[in-house]
């Protein structure tokens, strides 16, 4: 089945060569103008923050409360705060650093990752409104609270840590991440462009599920509120295949719990739509 699907995709790419070229150009444009200028400095900054000891500047009281509420590593609070502004996949990168330093276990990594699937606030506000942005944050937190008894962390205590910052190593490591994002973006943007669907709303939905930026762009072209708000909440809740592949690439050596992650995404979608409809 996997080989057959690969063959079909290869044929689609060959038949739609011109569309693929345009998609690759669009991907490079999005990456160079929207992702790289924001994400790359954020990744470097996350290395600086970890090495600066800023984690210890947050009072332990807040770490303890966070850990007890969500039954996971207290370091999740730091990841949450950074991810609100840094967005995904910055959270995955920080979690990988914490995991490699043995400050969090696999259960905590999975739970914190699932709680911090956020997108750039400016991006959300560009295509929607403050209500949708707040719902995105709140629904992730509520999902983490509801699932707090699953994958309970083996340790709920802060441990001593030692992060050394080296600019050259940080640039090299984060460039690999950012180039991987470009490759993933190109593949899924190409797929979204060659999907043979005429209905504009369905085309927008499929595009957003495959590659979230493409879905956002189509929303402004083909839909109106409240449909566009519902679609944006759907895309941000499910994260898109492109984002998930980026996360898996960053965390490929951690073997995080995919079942929990996907369950959290579906529950987040349900909660976000429910909040939107009743408010």
């Amino acid at each position: 089945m996997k080989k057959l699907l690969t063959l079909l995709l290869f044929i689609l790419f060959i038949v739609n060569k011109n569309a693929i070229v345009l998609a690759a150009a669009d991907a490079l444009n999005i990456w160079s103008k929207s992702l790289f200028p924001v994400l790359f400095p954020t990744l470097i900054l996350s290395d600086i923050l970890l090495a600066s000891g800023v984690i210890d500047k947050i009072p332990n009281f807040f770490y303890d409360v966070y850990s007890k509420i969500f039954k996971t590593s207290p370091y999740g609070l730091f990841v949450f705060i950074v991810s609100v502004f840094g967005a995904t996949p910055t959270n995955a990168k920080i979690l990988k650093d914490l995991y490699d330093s043995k400050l969090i276990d696999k259960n905590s990594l999975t739970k914190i990752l699932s709680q911090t699937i956020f997108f750039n606030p400016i991006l959300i506000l560009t295509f929607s409104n403050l209500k949708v942005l707040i719902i995105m944050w709140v629904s992730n937190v509520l999902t983490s609270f509801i699932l707090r008894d699953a994958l309970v962390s083996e340790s709920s205590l802060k441990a001593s840590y030692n992060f050394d910052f080296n600019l050259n190593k940080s640039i090299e490591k984060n460039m690999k991440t950012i180039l991987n994002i470009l490759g993933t973006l190109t593949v899924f943007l190409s797929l979204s462009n060659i999907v043979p669907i005429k209905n504009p709303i369905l085309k927008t939905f499929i595009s957003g599920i495959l590659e979230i930026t493409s879905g956002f762009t189509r929303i402004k072209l083909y839909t109106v509120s409240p449909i566009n708000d519902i679609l944006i909440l759907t895309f941000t809740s499910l994260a898109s295949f492109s984002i998930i592949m980026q996360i898996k690439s960053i965390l490929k050596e951690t073997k995080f719990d995919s079942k929990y992650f996907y369950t959290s995404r579906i529950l987040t979608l349900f909660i976000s739509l429910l909040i939107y409809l009743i408010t």
Side-chain angles (χ1 to χ4, degrees), residues 226-241:
I227 295 176
N228 57 346
D229 290 344
I230 291 173
L231 285 173
I232 286 176
L233 286 171
T234 300
F235 299 156
T236 56
S237 297
L238 297 180
S240 85
F241 283 106

Side-chain angles (χ1 to χ4, degrees), residues 213-229:
T213 309
S214 175
F216 279 6
T217 303
R218 290 181 183 276
I219 281 174
K220 281 295 186 182
L221 296 176
Y222 301 122
T223 65
V224 294
S225 185
I227 295 176
N228 57 346
D229 290 344

Side-chain angles (χ1 to χ4, degrees), residues 197-212:
I197 296 176
K198 299 296 183 181
N199 183 281
I201 294 181
L202 183 57
K203 179 77 171 180
T204 299
F205 177 79
I206 297 297
S207 295
I209 293 299
L210 289 173
E211 202 289 305
I212 199 165

